[in-house]
């Protein structure tokens, strides 16, 4: 019974390209939704296990995108290696944020938000490298591998499904490891874990690096899918805010919650919210999130798990 949500998501993931492979608009929405899902998963990894609320994941997303695009366009690096380099670039940029780990709560959130803005300014001013506000383009798209054109909507979708699944597996492995246990204990009482010898700062640093790596990977993927970058887009606050809304809506304390939440929230925003309110449609996302928090503070999957447990207890009685 506990694996039912995973099976449902797997069934939907397989059914989408079968049903909509000829519909470029729907497949494009699903591709973008999966990009948000990857970032939401990375955010939840830091927010849930690391106990740190970040408003600056747009920095990792943008750095990953620019690193991969520049290395493939100007240095001829093959796209698969450029994607990996983009993820590593995002992880490296997170190193400059390590001093912020000494802060907690809203102070950490504000500090990392400031870092994100700094990277956006750097990308805008480094015109000779990034193209500045005029944008950067003419970098190679995703390649064709084993006959599957990854630059097509269906190809990108299949690749993103695999990447999201791998990242979810990494999240689950960390959560179930001794590191995950230490992190959860640290979230309850950091002082208590320090007394028993847990290096809280080191564990937080590892979570920040891993979260940045995953976010940078999806930023790089997005760059090679849309084949155009400019600072206002690559470092847009949307890449910080939308994954947060998605993770909380789906249930950021679960593995699958951020994934399902991201796809549902993105589809709601693009298909319903923009249709009802072309300007300022983000307010509808806020209303939807507020309603979910009031009804189910642990998100969609938290509510599902609670009902499953109650149902099992009722059946046992």
């Amino acid at each position: 019974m506990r694996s039912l949500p995973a099976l449902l998501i797997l069934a939907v993931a397989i059914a989408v390209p079968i049903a909509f492979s000829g519909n470029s608009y729907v497949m494009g929405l699903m591709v973008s939704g999966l990009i948000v899902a990857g970032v939401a998963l990375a955010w939840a990894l830091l927010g849930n296990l690391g106990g740190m609320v970040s408003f600056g994941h747009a920095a990792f997303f943008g750095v990953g995108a620019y690193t991969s695009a520049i290395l493939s366009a100007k240095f001829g690096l093959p796209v698969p290696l450029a994607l990996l380099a983009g993820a590593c670039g995002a992880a490296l940029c997170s190193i400059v944020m390590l001093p912020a780990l000494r802060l907690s709560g809203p102070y950490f959130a504000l500090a990392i938000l400031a870092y994100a803005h700094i990277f956006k300014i750097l990308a805008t001013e480094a015109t000779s490298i990034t193209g500045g506000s005029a944008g950067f383009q003419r970098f190679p798209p995703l390649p064709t591998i084993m006959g599957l054109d990854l630059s097509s909507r269906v190809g990108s979708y299949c690749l993103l499904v695999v990447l999201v699944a791998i990242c979810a597996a990494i999240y689950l492995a960390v959560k179930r490891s001794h590191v995950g246990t230490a992190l959860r204990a640290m979230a309850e009482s950091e002082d208590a874990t320090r007394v028993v010898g847990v290096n809280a700062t080191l564990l937080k640093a590892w979570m920040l690096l891993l979260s940045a790596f995953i976010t940078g990977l999806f930023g790089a993927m997005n760059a090679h899918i849309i084949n155009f970058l400019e600072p206002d887009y690559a470092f847009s606050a949307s890449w910080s805010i939308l994954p947060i809304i998605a993770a909380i809506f789906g249930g950021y304390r679960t593995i699958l919650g951020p994934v399902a939440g991201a796809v549902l929230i993105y589809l709601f925003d693009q298909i319903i919210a923009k249709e009802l309110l072309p300007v300022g449609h983000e307010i509808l996302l806020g209303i939807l999130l507020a309603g979910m928090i009031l009804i189910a503070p642990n998100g969609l999957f938290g509510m599902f798990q609670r009902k499953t447990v109650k149902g099992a207890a009722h059946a046992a009685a």
Side-chain angles (χ1 to χ4, degrees), residues 105-166:
Y107 301 104
F108 172 80
L110 291 174
I112 204 165
L113 176 63
Y115 277 115
H117 194 61
I118 290 171
F119 281 106
K120 179 180 177 180
I121 293 173
L122 289 175
T124 305
E125 296 300 324
T127 309
S128 61
I129 302 174
T130 65
S133 56
F136 185 66
Q137 53 188 331
R138 295 180 182 175
F139 48 90
L142 295 173
T144 297
I145 296 179
M146 299 177 66
L148 179 62
D149 181 8
L150 298 179
S151 65
S152 67
R153 296 294 189 197
V154 174
S156 301
Y157 172 86
C158 293
L159 179 58
L160 283 166
V161 166
V162 172
L163 286 179
V164 169
I166 291 173

Side-chain angles (χ1 to χ4, degrees), residues 7-252:
L7 292 175
L8 285 175
I9 288 180
L10 178 63
V12 171
I14 294 173
V16 165
I18 295 174
F20 299 104
S21 59
N23 191 324
S24 179
Y25 174 68
V26 172
M27 291 307 299
L29 289 179
M30 293 303 298
V31 165
S32 299
L34 286 170
I35 293 285
V36 177
V39 182
L41 206 54
W43 182 89
L45 182 67
L46 187 67
N48 183 23
L49 296 184
M52 294 171 283
V53 176
S54 164
F55 287 121
H57 268 51
F60 310 137
F61 190 88
V63 169
Y66 270 106
T67 302
S68 183
I70 290 170
L71 288 177
S72 60
K74 297 192 175 184
F75 297 94
L77 197 66
V79 172
L81 293 179
L83 292 172
L84 186 60
C88 292
L92 283 175
C93 94
S94 73
I95 291 176
V96 301
M97 302 179 183
L98 292 182
L101 294 178
R102 297 185 178 277
L103 305 173
S104 60
Y107 301 104
F108 172 80
L110 291 174
I112 204 165
L113 176 63
Y115 277 115
H117 194 61
I118 290 171
F119 281 106
K120 179 180 177 180
I121 293 173
L122 289 175
T124 305
E125 296 300 324
T127 309
S128 61
I129 302 174
T130 65
S133 56
F136 185 66
Q137 53 188 331
R138 295 180 182 175
F139 48 90
L142 295 173
T144 297
I145 296 179
M146 299 177 66
L148 179 62
D149 181 8
L150 298 179
S151 65
S152 67
R153 296 294 189 197
V154 174
S156 301
Y157 172 86
C158 293
L159 179 58
L160 283 166
V161 166
V162 172
L163 286 179
V164 169
I166 291 173
C167 292
I170 292 172
Y171 187 171
L172 184 62
V174 173
K175 186 178 180 181
R176 290 180 174 176
S177 68
H178 295 304
V179 171
T181 303
L183 285 166
R184 288 195 295 277
M186 195 174 69
E188 295 295 327
S189 175
E190 188 169 327
D191 290 336
T193 52
R194 287 182 190 278
V195 170
V196 297
V198 174
N199 190 330
T201 304
L202 182 62
L203 289 181
K204 285 182 177 181
W206 277 117
M207 285 302 100
L208 181 62
L209 287 169
L210 181 57
S211 183
F213 181 90
I214 293 174
T215 306
L217 178 62
F218 283 93
M221 279 288 303
N222 188 58
H224 289 280
I225 288 172
I226 64 172
N227 296 112
F228 177 77
L229 283 176
E230 54 99 14
D232 284 342
Y233 171 78
F235 294 92
S236 169
S238 297
W239 297 118
S240 294
I241 303 301
L242 201 55
I244 295 175
I245 295 175
I248 295 175
F249 181 85
Y252 76 100

